[in-house]
Amino acid sequence: MSLRGFLSEMEERREVVHIEESVSPRFEVSKLAMEFDGGPILFFENVEGKKVVVNVCGSRDRICLALKSRRQDLHRKLVTSMHYLRTPEVVDSAPSQEVEEPDLGDIPILTHFEKDGGPYITSGVIYARSSKLGVENVSIHRLQVLDDSTLAIRLVPRHLYKLWMAHKMEKKDLEVSVSVGVHPAVHLAAASSPPFGVNEFHIANSLLAGELKLVKCLKVDAYAPAEAELIIEGIISWEREALEGPLVDILGTYDVQRMQPIVEVKAVTHRKDYVYQAIVPSSMEHKLLMGLPREALIWEAVSKVVPEVYGVRLTMAGGGWLHAVVSIRKQREGDGKNALLAALAAHPSLKHVVVVDEDIDVYDSEAVEWAIATRFQADRDLIVVKDVRGSTLDPSSDQERVLTSKVGVDATKPMDKPKEKFEPATIPSTSRIEGLIESLRKRLAIR
Ligand code: MN
């Protein structure tokens, strides 16, 4: 249940493209990754003599394969894993500790976009525990390389921030591990948002049916996946901070510079022939890993207020973060609006949400727009909420106070009109015509 295990499954499905040519970690890997965004996994054989992989979770279907789930069951599976936690086994020796390096100097860390503040580790899964608070936490944070043994870490005021603040109060550093090169289930679990106090490795282990193994770090009081490609051990300093950023985030725009805490690197270990995993900011992989756990939360919240939820999608153009489409089976007038309110409450960064009936495919943006065109009246079906807490990333919002306006669009059929008025027209067909369509499709594809 490792990254390389998943990669070899993907090799068999021809989902991996190997690039033998020498490619620079500065702009060249990210340029190629974004050129083929949403496409295959790109495996670079020679990035300053090292191996680098990107786009591992670059499609929803690959994530479904990784979690052994059908697309329509994915949200249920993610929600279930958050409720049925499994403690991973701790092993004594691990492939992720085969080789020890003095510092970060030899690792092919990428610089992604033109105005980025520098090279960034973007796929690091960070584990920390606080004996004081009695909690463990696992989450993903971007790490800017300041020098070979110092990183700046972006701490959004969520769980790891809370742990760090508790240590800062006592003037104590927080010991952490940063794992690079992990199975997609570990990334998804680390990107999910269970209540404070839940160790996200236990969610990952639940997703992996008990196959996740952890190992104790060599120099700090922390754990990391035994089968990771690379582990950085360090401390988040209680007192040292540095200017972090700018870096492109999910919306494809630059996030601003801020003073952020520093990670002092204490040890670097890796597999003998490790592959360095990167997630290019604003790539589909980035949006899917951030968005999927939020879709699951929206799915769960809307399920509680309407009889049935069919689909939830955070759209790619909305950064997998700001725009949602939810399809429901409406039973009574007003279900659509309750679904809108539940979705907005489930994911505080959500800005625009559209609710449609179950006959509309949430993955088909044209169909969603058609539902808005034929089933929505602004004076009756629109919700606007002013000055609510939103995302820090949206440049059109009040980024100082993190306030935004939210819109809910209820594009479900009104129940006071005959159903037939809203049905898409169809043309009768026969098996002979279906066969002809099939052969025409093949001819057109070859052409
Ligand atoms: Mn957490």
Side-chain angles (χ1 to χ4, degrees):
M1 288 303 164
S2 57
L3 172 64
R4 57 183 61 203
F6 180 64
L7 287 177
S8 68
E9 280 172 44
M10 292 303 101
E11 295 277 4
E12 281 168 33
R13 289 179 172 264
R14 299 175 177 274
E15 291 271 333
V16 187
V17 172
H18 290 263
I19 295 119
E20 314 284 343
E21 289 86 347
S22 161
V23 174
S24 166
R26 189 175 157 79
F27 303 137
E28 294 189 355
V29 172
S30 54
K31 177 72 182 171
L32 288 161
M34 288 309 275
E35 206 58 41
F36 299 99
D37 192 23
I41 296 168
L42 300 185
F43 195 107
F44 296 90
E45 300 284 354
N46 183 6
V47 179
E48 294 180 343
K50 305 291 187 315
K51 291 175 185 160
V52 174
V53 69
V54 295
N55 289 356
V56 173
C57 293
S59 79
R60 195 176 282 265
D61 289 336
R62 273 207 294 278
I63 291 175
C64 288
L65 288 169
L67 296 192
K68 301 191 184 348
S69 171
R70 294 184 307 170
R71 189 181 272 227
Q72 61 267 39
D73 300 329
L74 191 60
H75 297 130
R76 188 185 300 273
K77 179 151 191 169
L78 286 170
V79 168
T80 306
S81 71
M82 288 189 216
H83 295 303
Y84 295 93
L85 306 169
R86 295 181 70 166
T87 308
E89 185 191 336
V90 177
V91 294
D92 292 332
S93 72
S96 51
Q97 294 178 333
E98 278 170 349
V99 179
E100 208 179 328
E101 296 261 351
D103 55 36
L104 303 169
D106 221 22
I107 302 167
I109 301 170
L110 307 185
T111 305
H112 305 90
F113 287 86
E114 189 179 10
K115 295 176 195 165
D116 282 355
Y120 263 89
I121 298 169
T122 49
S123 72
V125 171
I126 293 147
Y127 166 99
R129 73 167 164 184
S130 164
S131 44
K132 187 173 166 277
L133 300 173
V135 298
E136 297 172 283
N137 192 72
V138 180
S139 44
I140 302 174
H141 301 261
R142 64 190 197 217
L143 295 152
Q144 183 177 2
V145 179
L146 301 179
D147 61 48
D148 284 352
S149 56
T150 320
L151 301 160
I153 183 168
R154 167 69 177 135
L155 290 184
V156 190
R158 289 201 278 252
H159 297 169
L160 183 59
Y161 177 84
K162 215 163 147 178
L163 262 69
W164 174 69
M165 279 304 282
H167 277 67
K168 191 176 169 67
M169 298 292 190
E170 303 213 323
K171 301 190 174 180
K172 277 186 181 153
D173 298 326
L174 182 64
E175 294 174 69
V176 294
S177 69
V178 180
S179 303
V180 175
V182 294
H183 189 276
V186 177
H187 270 146
L188 278 169
S192 69
S193 224
F196 183 67
V198 171
N199 178 343
E200 286 82 356
F201 278 152
H202 296 198
I203 297 175
N205 194 35
S206 176
L207 287 172
L208 292 172
E211 295 285 321
L212 181 69
K213 310 257 185 296
L214 300 180
V215 69
K216 200 165 186 333
C217 288
L218 303 176
K219 302 215 168 119
V220 298
D221 180 26
Y223 293 87
E227 295 190 282
E229 293 295 318
L230 178 128
I231 300 169
I232 299 161
E233 302 182 12
I235 55 112
I236 306 181
S237 165
W238 71 269
E239 56 178 346
R240 288 179 67 201
E241 296 192 3
L243 204 56
E244 184 272 340
L247 183 74
V248 167
D249 215 309
I250 37 176
L251 297 170
T253 53
Y254 289 94
D255 194 8
V256 297
Q257 280 189 314
R258 301 176 186 85
M259 287 305 285
Q260 291 290 301
I262 270 181
V263 176
E264 292 171 19
V265 176
K266 300 293 179 193
V268 178
T269 67
H270 59 73
R271 286 174 180 260
K272 256 182 226 136
D273 58 340
Y274 78 97
V275 49
Y276 177 81
Q277 184 181 12
I279 297 171
V280 178
S282 79
S283 65
M284 276 184 68
E285 171 172 39
H286 183 195
K287 293 168 188 169
L288 285 166
L289 285 173
M290 289 199 48
L292 276 173
R294 306 296 152 157
E295 288 178 356
L297 291 180
I298 294 169
W299 177 86
E300 189 183 29
V302 178
S303 301
K304 287 176 181 163
V305 299
V306 298
E308 207 162 345
V309 184
Y310 280 81
V312 177
R313 177 170 69 123
L314 286 161
T315 67
M316 290 295 104
W321 201 242
L322 299 186
H323 286 181
V325 183
V326 181
S327 68
I328 61 167
R329 189 165 57 80
K330 183 175 170 180
Q331 232 167 22
R332 308 192 53 165
E333 204 56 78
D335 278 348
K337 284 215 179 79
N338 275 353
L340 291 174
L341 294 171
L344 288 169
H347 172 36
S349 292
L350 196 56
K351 184 179 168 190
H352 298 148
V353 54
V354 180
V355 173
V356 294
D357 297 295
E358 75 270 24
D359 63 331
I360 303 295
D361 178 4
V362 296
Y363 298 104
D364 182 349
S365 297
E366 294 285 323
V368 172
E369 190 180 338
W370 178 82
I372 296 172
T374 58
R375 300 176 181 182
F376 166 79
Q377 282 294 304
D379 64 336
R380 187 186 63 198
D381 301 320
L382 181 76
I383 295 174
V384 180
V385 195
K386 269 174 66 181
D387 291 338
V388 257
R389 161 113 192 259
S391 166
T392 55
L393 302 174
D394 171 11
S396 75
S397 70
D398 180 345
Q399 282 173 301
E400 290 274 300
R401 296 187 297 159
V402 200
L403 291 179
T404 194
S405 292
K406 306 205 172 192
V407 168
V409 171
D410 178 3
T412 56
K413 289 174 276 194
M415 296 182 103
D416 57 0
K417 284 194 175 182
K419 271 198 301 213
E420 305 80 65
K421 289 186 85 73
F422 301 97
E423 268 166 27
T426 54
I427 302 174
S429 188
T430 59
S431 58
R432 188 180 66 83
I433 290 296
E434 292 300 321
L436 187 53
I437 290 170
E438 209 38 53
S439 74
L440 274 170
R441 277 224 177 91
K442 278 183 194 143
R443 262 164 61 191
L444 290 168
I446 291 163
R447 199 175 59 115

